[in-house]
Amino acid sequence: MFWTLELASYLEEAPWPATKDELIDYSIRSGAPIEVVENLQELDDEGETYESIEDIWPDYPSQDDFMFNEDEY
């Protein structure tokens, strides 16, 4: 399983919380690249509900990780 910011961005608007099957369905319906679907299919499926992209990709960067100050603009 290999995630990039571009691939993970396709799940930002997903209906969280969601199961693996719901995320796969959402990815297909939203036209996400096949790599997103393949990554989701590789998840261990124990009926778990994922609360956010961080549950799938723990290293997903948050806004705090970027050195951009919105107040300056």
Side-chain angles (χ1 to χ4, degrees), residues 2 8 20 40-42 62 65:
F2 181 74
K20 174 183 170 180
L40 292 170
Q41 289 173 338
E42 290 183 29
S62 67
D65 294 331

Side-chain angles (χ1 to χ4, degrees), residues 12-72:
E12 287 180 352
E13 300 297 319
W16 303 104
T19 64
K20 174 183 170 180
D21 291 335
E22 290 171 336
L23 290 172
I24 291 171
D25 182 58
Y26 171 80
S27 297
I28 293 168
R29 287 185 295 110
S30 66
I34 191 68
E35 292 87 355
V36 174
V37 176
E38 290 171 350
N39 283 346
L40 292 170
Q41 289 173 338
E42 290 183 29
L43 293 173
D44 293 331
D45 189 15
E46 299 171 5
E48 186 176 346
T49 299
Y50 299 97
E51 298 295 323
S52 67
I53 186 67
E54 287 88 5
D55 289 348
I56 295 170
W57 184 27
D59 294 333
Y60 183 74
S62 67
Q63 286 188 343
D64 296 337
D65 294 331
F66 297 103
M67 299 292 199
F68 181 76
N69 187 351
E70 292 179 0
D71 295 334
E72 291 180 7

